Amino acid sequence: MSDKKLDTPNETVGLGRRRFINTAALAGLTVGVAACNDKPAAAPAAAPAAPAPAPAPTAHAGANVHLKPGELDTYYGLWSGGHTGDMRVLGLPSGRELLRIPCFVPDALVGWGITNESKAVMGTKPDGHLRYTVGDTHHTHASYKDGNYDGRYAWINDKINSRIARIRLDYFVCDKITTLPNVQGFHGIFPDKRDPVDPAINYTTRVFCGGEFGIPLPNTGTEDHTKYRSLFSCVDAETMEVRWQVLIDGNCDLVATSFDGKLAATNQYNTEMGAHYEDMMSAERDACLFFNIARIEEAVKAGKFKTIGSSKVPVVDGTIEANKDPKTALTAYVSVPKNPHGVNASPDQKYFICAGKLSPTVTVIELAKVLDWFDGKSEKLDDAIVAEVEVGLGPLHTAFDGRGNAFTTLFLDSQVVKWNIDKAIAFHKGDKNAKYVVDRLDVHYQPGHINASQSETIAADGKYLAVGCKFSKDRFLPVGPLHAENEQLIDISGEKMVLLADHPVRGEPHDFIIFKRDLVKPKQVYDLDHHPLAIKDPKESGVFRSGKKVTVKLTSQAPAFSMREFKVKKGDEVTLILTNLDKIEDLTHGFAIPNYNVNFIVNPQETASVTFVADQPGVFWCYCTHFCHALHLEMRTRMIVEA
Ligand code: RUQ
Ligand code: CUA
Ligand code: CA
């Protein structure tokens, strides 16, 4: 690389890639781009060429995000990690990353994918090796009670292998992973907020999963794509078993659920069911597809379903053809402009908002009117559309402040637009004086996801807004060809948005949620009984042989393991069980065996195990990898493998 290039590395490269993306996306725009009357006259494809100008003068300077040493954040954020396959826990407003929770992909810090316990969660092949070592998380949402988070669980998707993982929010660990049958490209995810029928169940019992790619069902490998279909799945929040699936037309993208438990919806960008992108953009309108949960479950109970291939999960018919009569329909396809993206539930419980992506609009759908259609009280389903207004180029996802305003990311404009829902409805009704756009803020750059503190709960508090910018371009020091992404924090407590902070993040986060810190009650010491194999007393330690199978029982208490050395024989299949008997939070030990590809941690009172074949004779110093004590370096034991 020449010196000249080094002088302005990110300028050229950043612009090029951003411009490429803009151009590619604009090629798909056929809807009145130029007619967007209340946006600034800037050319849509022109990215800011220099570092962005300071934010516009505002009524207030914005909250302070720089906490002094020792000060704690007031919010937790759960971030999906993207194709690192993990979930990340942030403190806000500081934006400090506190933890990464491995789910779908092995993790060397904790030994995820190394211990028998984590392998059992992740899933193995018959030979004991992990079935998958890649994942792509997009969407994360947490369990609800009475319309607010209850701190029990969060769920996260793996788009690549159609898996859903559950995170326990007491220990911040993944405890279950379920694979959705007959689904490829599982994308959107949302828990329900109460039961559609039983008022006593005012909390999450189902999680809905949108299947994105259509495939032959069963997947025979046929080339005729007109036969491909997607499924929308319902997973039991407790057992994590798949309860039922719905056969649909089009591809699911993201998912939203109503506060009354009656409706779930997914936006669809490929109602054309094309196999190539040109075909996927050919129709002027796609759909926001609604599911009538109570009716679907009645149909399942009544046996009106089929099963696909070797899966036993009941599949009901939610295709357009089979659901024309509102009185019996399980699904309803509300039309929205072509290739919409995010669908989000407003905290006033009344609306779902679909963002236009290829259309510069947002569509506001009134849930009561969708229910009216199902009840036969409304002739035209599309009467549920109470607003469809232009907001700017490339609308993707929407968040809320609980004061009637929505915030939508504009991917192509590199902006967040704040707009008022009631005024948008008034404008749509014909009041051309209704100024629904309240404010615009440049973000850096190309935002995808957005969320506000407590946004999709009845406790939306309108304090902070985070925006996941896909490109940071010139905001951070260059580090080779790949830039960090930029998670920006915005104060939304006033009329105008105030940009507070940039946060570099390792690629590639997608969706996230932000909630008050007192909604979770983290536990910091495990319960010994949590693991059936816990070694509760160091005296139970030892080497126990049954033929060629050997169990090594070991405990840890800083700064020593319960055995100074242990012996096995070459060729033994060794299962080593380690219980950490230390009782103090954060007194975690590690256990590494050189040359055996073993390293994992045990938290206080936690038990974990590993199984390996002792195929190399010799002395192996097993040592504690996690700093625990002044004698941490001395904390080791000898594994002697006799030839
Ligand atoms: S989708 S941009 Cu999964 Cu919006 Cu991430
Ligand atoms: Cu035990 Cu370090
Ligand atoms: Ca389309």
Side-chain angles (χ1 to χ4, degrees):
M1 194 185 274
S2 74
D3 287 343
K4 179 89 188 59
K5 261 191 176 157
L6 266 178
D7 283 337
T8 53
N10 43 9
E11 190 63 35
T12 336
V13 176
L15 258 181
R17 192 174 169 214
R18 277 161 39 77
R19 186 167 277 157
F20 167 74
I21 284 174
N22 278 350
T23 317
L26 279 168
L29 275 172
T30 60
V31 198
V33 167
C36 195
N37 44 18
D38 64 350
K39 69 175 289 296
T58 49
H60 69 130
N64 183 16
V65 297
H66 300 289
L67 300 183
K68 292 201 195 88
E71 280 181 357
L72 295 182
D73 283 297
T74 42
Y75 294 87
Y76 281 102
L78 300 181
W79 253 250
S80 86
H83 44 283
T84 54
D86 54 4
M87 180 189 278
R88 301 171 190 179
V89 185
L90 271 62
L92 292 163
S94 75
R96 298 179 288 202
E97 185 181 289
L98 308 173
L99 182 70
R100 291 188 181 189
I101 305 170
C103 319
F104 300 114
V105 171
D107 179 88
L109 179 90
V110 299
W112 191 253
I114 302 268
T115 63
N116 295 330
E117 292 71 21
S118 60
K119 282 165 96 175
V121 174
M122 293 174 82
T124 51
K125 296 190 270 198
D127 68 2
H129 286 105
L130 290 175
R131 184 164 294 280
Y132 303 114
T133 54
V134 294
D136 181 24
T137 70
H138 279 235
H139 295 265
T140 181
H141 290 284
S143 55
Y144 283 78
K145 186 172 188 201
D146 286 326
N148 197 357
Y149 299 123
D150 65 0
R152 280 184 298 147
Y153 299 123
W155 289 271
I156 191 162
N157 75 309
D158 165 25
K159 181 167 167 174
I160 301 175
N161 303 304
S162 300
R163 293 177 295 171
I164 169 173
R166 183 173 71 188
I167 310 294
R168 289 178 60 146
L169 289 179
D170 50 359
Y171 289 109
F172 286 82
V173 291
C174 171
D175 76 332
K176 270 186 194 294
I177 292 179
T178 297
T179 304
L180 306 176
N182 297 307
V183 170
Q184 233 173 63
F186 150 42
H187 193 171
I189 191 170
F190 220 104
D192 70 354
K193 302 182 179 104
R194 57 166 61 231
D195 189 85
V197 182
D198 184 351
I201 304 174
N202 56 350
Y203 52 87
T204 295
T205 56
R206 305 168 181 80
V207 187
F208 300 113
C209 309
E212 186 168 340
F213 307 148
I215 50 169
L217 297 172
N219 197 350
T220 51
T222 172
E223 211 186 315
D224 176 7
H225 70 85
T226 60
K227 303 246 154 64
Y228 298 0
R229 287 292 178 285
S230 307
L231 300 173
F232 181 81
S233 307
C234 172
V235 172
D236 189 285
E238 277 307 321
T239 66
M240 288 289 284
E241 269 158 30
V242 185
R243 283 201 196 176
W244 44 259
Q245 295 179 302
V246 186
L247 181 76
I248 57 161
D249 289 318
N251 301 166
C252 306
D253 205 1
L254 306 188
V255 178
T257 61
S258 66
F259 283 82
D260 62 10
K262 294 188 170 132
L263 295 169
T266 167
N267 68 292
Q268 296 193 294
Y269 66 82
N270 185 20
T271 48
E272 303 91 334
M273 294 198 283
H276 306 122
Y277 76 85
E278 302 90 330
D279 306 326
M280 296 180 194
M281 307 193 303
S282 59
E284 276 312 309
R285 292 182 81 85
D286 282 305
C288 181
L289 165 53
F290 282 81
F291 298 89
N292 187 319
I293 306 305
R295 279 193 195 169
I296 289 169
E297 300 198 342
E298 271 167 33
V300 171
K301 241 193 222 153
K304 292 184 195 147
F305 62 80
K306 56 173 188 172
T307 57
I308 299 170
S310 59
S311 161
K312 294 206 168 52
V313 175
V315 181
V316 299
D317 191 346
T319 55
I320 297 171
E321 220 17 70
N323 292 276
K324 293 226 152 120
D325 180 2
K327 294 226 173 59
T328 54
L330 309 179
T331 54
Y333 293 72
V334 177
S335 93
V336 290
K338 66 160 52 187
N339 294 42
H341 196 57
V343 53
N344 294 93
S346 63
D348 62 9
Q349 316 186 30
K350 292 202 275 200
Y351 308 110
F352 280 4
I353 315 272
C354 268
K357 193 170 79 182
L358 295 195
S359 156
T361 54
V362 285
T363 302
V364 182
I365 300 168
E366 189 174 335
L367 302 181
K369 294 196 166 156
V370 175
L371 288 172
D372 280 351
W373 181 82
F374 277 117
D375 291 343
K377 289 188 223 151
S378 144
E379 294 258 298
K380 253 182 74 215
L381 177 59
D382 279 0
D383 286 347
I385 299 167
V386 291
E388 195 161 283
V389 294
E390 292 187 2
V391 289
L393 294 185
L396 287 188
H397 294 274
T398 299
F400 306 92
D401 66 0
R403 294 186 288 271
N405 300 304
F407 301 80
T408 301
T409 45
L410 301 175
F411 181 77
L412 298 180
D413 280 339
S414 278
Q415 279 185 340
V416 172
V417 56
K418 172 180 177 180
W419 54 281
N420 183 277
I421 301 172
D422 283 343
K423 289 204 176 136
I425 294 171
F427 183 88
H428 183 81
K429 254 196 205 138
D431 177 2
K432 296 301 165 205
N433 293 322
K435 280 212 148 306
Y436 55 89
V437 170
V438 182
D439 191 23
R440 291 176 187 280
L441 182 74
D442 289 333
V443 293
H444 314 90
Y445 303 89
Q446 251 94 24
H449 289 277
I450 190 167
N451 222 330
S453 42
Q454 298 279 349
S455 174
E456 276 175 283
T457 72
I458 57 163
D461 66 4
K463 289 222 163 91
Y464 294 106
L465 184 77
V467 183
C469 298
K470 295 288 180 200
F471 302 100
S472 62
K473 195 168 116 29
D474 46 20
R475 306 294 280 195
F476 307 113
L477 288 174
V479 283
L482 181 65
H483 292 283
E485 295 189 18
N486 190 5
E487 303 286 298
Q488 293 194 303
L489 194 72
I490 294 164
D491 184 337
I492 52 166
S493 59
E495 180 80 352
K496 296 228 158 241
M497 295 176 273
V498 183
L499 182 62
L500 297 175
D502 285 351
H503 293 287
V505 287
R506 185 177 182 210
E508 175 174 67
H510 283 263
D511 211 6
F512 48 85
I513 55 171
I514 301 164
F515 53 88
K516 293 225 169 93
R517 69 180 183 200
D518 50 357
L519 289 173
V520 287
K521 305 261 175 297
K523 293 183 187 158
Q524 292 169 312
V525 175
Y526 272 82
D527 183 345
L528 265 192
D529 292 324
H530 200 99
H531 198 300
L533 301 178
I535 301 142
K536 298 189 179 174
D537 188 318
K539 290 197 203 88
E540 294 168 25
S541 305
V543 178
F544 305 88
R545 174 174 294 277
S546 151
K548 282 211 145 293
K549 292 201 177 197
V550 173
T551 304
V552 177
K553 295 186 178 181
L554 203 61
T555 62
S556 59
Q557 265 172 305
F561 294 108
S562 55
M563 292 191 286
R564 306 277 165 123
E565 58 269 317
F566 57 92
K567 281 184 190 161
V568 297
K569 290 197 172 69
K570 183 176 176 215
D572 285 346
E573 185 195 284
V574 179
T575 295
L576 184 142
I577 307 166
L578 174 61
T579 298
N580 181 3
L581 291 176
D582 278 313
K583 290 189 181 126
I584 300 164
E585 65 186 64
D586 208 26
L587 226 174
T588 295
H589 300 288
F591 194 86
I593 312 177
N595 309 142
Y596 273 92
N597 199 33
V598 167
N599 184 35
F600 63 98
I601 59 170
V602 273
N603 287 306
Q605 302 278 293
E606 188 184 20
T607 299
S609 66
V610 286
T611 298
F612 57 93
V613 176
D615 52 5
Q616 311 159 62
V619 169
F620 300 90
W621 282 104
C622 308
Y623 71 97
C624 176
T625 43
H626 207 90
F627 196 94
C628 56
H629 189 274
L631 294 174
H632 158 71
L633 288 176
E634 287 81 352
M635 185 166 177
R636 38 183 162 133
T637 177
R638 264 183 307 160
M639 176 171 81
I640 300 163
V641 182
E642 296 173 328

